[in-house]
Structure formats: C-alpha cells, structure tokens
Amino acid sequence: MAAAQVRRPGGPLMPRAPKHCGHPDCTTPVRGTSYCPSHRNKWTSTGRTASSQLHDSTEWRQARRTYMAGATRCEAQLTHRCTGQPEQCDMIRPASQGGQITPHNLQAICRPCHAVKTRRERA
C-alpha cells in the first residue's frame, strides 16, 4: 500500500488529506513530507564537526570506557592545579587534526589539565 494512501474498511484506497507545512505561519499544503519546497532544509552537510561526530560514536564510548578503567593518575600534568585524579579521556592528537581512536592517542586527564590543553589547542 502506498504511503500517501489510506484503505477504508471495505472500500477503495483514498488519498490522504494534505497537511500544512511544518514551518511556523506557513499554510502551504503538503503531501508525503513535512515542509513545503521553500522551507525544506537546504543544508549540504550536517554542520557537525569531525570531533563531535567522533565523540558521539560507539567506538569512542567503548575506547574511553576501556582506557579509563585502567587509569590511575592524570597523564598530562600540565598545571600546578593538577588534581592527579583522571576524570576525562582525551585524545592527544585531536580529531580536528586527524587524530584517531587508538590506545596510543588516548590519555587519562584531570579537568584542570584538560582545560589548559584545550585552550592551547584552540590558540
């Protein structure tokens, strides 16, 4: 059965009634989609960075969990405020610079050291 049609009990297929475009204040009728042609998303990419795509992956979550299970101290020790307690898992070479999820590219790091490292990378 086609997605834009409804079967009435004991009757023929009937076309679905058009709905209004999902954009606020637009009353253009649409069928089989949520938005009219002038309000459809025209983005060519997802708008997400390589880092955000990588850090939302199952591969990253598993690698982080495995690596942090064996972490006992902050591996960076970049600041005098270093707590020594690893709280976060960090990529030594960031994804934005082509870093991969490998044990050699991960480090257990405390929050103060991670803040310093991130600030340096963005400068």
Side-chain angles (χ1 to χ4, degrees):
M1 177 167 30
Q5 296 183 341
V6 177
R7 182 175 296 278
R8 299 178 97 192
L13 290 175
M14 301 293 293
R16 288 190 184 269
K19 298 178 180 181
H20 291 292
C21 172
H23 190 270
D25 301 325
C26 182
T27 58
T28 306
V30 294
R31 288 181 191 258
T33 184
S34 298
Y35 295 96
C36 67
S38 62
H39 292 121
R40 285 198 188 112
N41 188 353
K42 294 182 173 78
W43 291 348
T44 56
S45 70
T46 64
R48 300 196 60 198
T49 63
S51 176
S52 65
Q53 289 176 351
L54 181 120
H55 286 94
D56 283 344
S57 71
T58 302
E59 180 186 10
W60 167 253
R61 285 192 289 275
Q62 289 174 345
R64 181 185 64 208
R65 188 179 311 116
T66 303
Y67 193 84
M68 292 301 288
T72 58
R73 62 177 181 81
C74 175
E75 297 173 19
Q77 297 183 353
L78 299 173
T79 177
H80 68 281
R81 294 180 15 223
C82 179
T83 64
Q85 286 294 93
E87 303 172 59
Q88 300 174 343
C89 189
D90 177 55
M91 294 178 73
I92 298 167
R93 182 174 180 202
S96 62
Q97 297 174 7
Q100 300 294 316
I101 302 174
T102 62
H104 300 293
N105 193 38
L106 299 179
Q107 66 180 348
I109 192 168
C110 69
R111 288 181 191 270
C113 290
H114 199 190
V116 169
K117 180 179 180 284
T118 301
R119 206 172 311 119
R120 286 179 185 169
E121 289 172 351
R122 291 183 180 165

